[in-house]
Amino acid sequence: METSTFFHALAALLVFLQFTNMNSSCSAARPSPSETDTEFIKTSCGTTTYPPLCYDSLSTYATRIQTSPKLLANTSLSLTLETTRNSSALMKRLSKIPKLSPREAAALSDCLEQLTDSVDELQRSIGEMNSAGGSNFELQMNDIQTWVSAALTDGNTCMDGFSETSMKGNVKIMVRNNVLKVAHMTSNALALVNSYATAQSFLPKVVP
């Protein structure tokens, strides 16, 4: 009976994740972008650690991003935040599965705490990116880079916790797959933020 309850709960979570992904795909629909816009995203994503994931996630927004490095970095941060929130919601649901061992419950609790920190750090990054510019630009970008780097560390710490526990196979795979995507998207976002900061540093300074 306990095994049956566990698998019913797991099946419900899988349906939830599929529904969430479908909604995200539908809400992301955009008009057809120009070749210049998509090529800009493809070239920019080539500097990241995971280019296919970068391009697949951002190309849908090509008409909005156009050829703006700032919009590219900010959109990447926003998508990473959305993915992190979804993974955090997954952690909460998994923590309610019946008969988790103490080690499993502890790993989920720690991971949820790490992802909560990541959400906060990404939100702060996006807020700062929206106002980036002027004489404080370098300081603002340093703050953003610090926060996104911290979010990346949080995701990796979450995955490390699960590698050391005797998690049930399906739960462990589900958690690691989701958190791995969070880590990869965060890594890509950090690379695009770094590229934007570097590009801006080469622009001529306006003397008042």
Side-chain angles (χ1 to χ4, degrees):
M1 180 65 67
E2 292 176 357
T3 301
S4 176
T5 301
F6 165 74
F7 281 109
H8 285 163
L10 186 58
L13 282 170
L14 290 172
V15 171
F16 164 78
L17 288 174
Q18 183 178 16
F19 179 75
T20 300
N21 290 335
M22 288 175 62
N23 280 346
S24 297
S25 298
C26 290
S27 63
R30 295 289 186 278
S32 299
S34 71
E35 183 177 347
T36 300
D37 297 341
T38 55
E39 187 61 30
F40 167 72
I41 293 176
K42 183 177 181 180
T43 301
S44 300
C45 284
T47 66
T48 67
T49 309
Y50 309 99
L53 175 63
C54 176
Y55 181 77
D56 289 344
S57 61
L58 291 169
S59 59
T60 306
Y61 299 87
T63 53
R64 185 175 74 185
I65 295 169
Q66 297 183 6
T67 58
S68 168
K70 181 176 181 178
L71 287 177
L72 180 66
N74 211 10
T75 302
S76 182
L77 287 171
S78 296
L79 292 176
T80 301
L81 173 60
E82 179 184 359
T83 302
T84 305
R85 282 174 170 162
N86 289 340
S87 291
S88 180
L90 172 65
M91 298 303 111
K92 291 180 181 178
R93 285 165 175 79
L94 285 174
S95 66
K96 297 177 182 179
I97 289 179
K99 302 300 180 182
L100 289 173
S101 72
R103 292 182 67 187
E104 291 168 345
L108 283 169
S109 177
D110 290 344
C111 190
L112 179 57
E113 183 177 350
Q114 298 292 336
L115 292 178
T116 300
D117 289 344
S118 293
V119 167
D120 178 64
E121 289 150 356
L122 290 168
Q123 287 176 325
R124 294 169 71 181
S125 299
I126 292 169
E128 193 74 356
M129 179 69 80
N130 287 334
S131 62
S135 60
N136 292 327
F137 179 78
E138 290 186 8
L139 179 60
Q140 290 173 309
M141 294 310 300
N142 285 336
D143 287 341
I144 293 169
Q145 290 164 326
T146 298
W147 291 327
V148 180
S149 295
L152 180 58
T153 299
D154 290 334
N156 289 332
T157 300
C158 171
M159 288 190 294
D160 290 342
F162 281 99
S163 66
E164 299 172 359
T165 66
S166 55
M167 268 292 209
K168 294 180 177 68
N170 289 333
V171 175
K172 183 175 181 178
I173 291 172
M174 184 188 301
V175 169
R176 286 184 62 81
N177 285 347
N178 274 267
V179 178
L180 190 64
K181 183 177 181 180
V182 169
H184 287 180
M185 291 192 69
T186 307
S187 174
N188 285 346
L190 179 59
L192 295 176
V193 166
N194 291 340
S195 294
Y196 169 60
T198 300
Q200 290 296 110
S201 69
F202 286 107
L203 293 179
K205 302 296 187 296
V206 176
V207 179

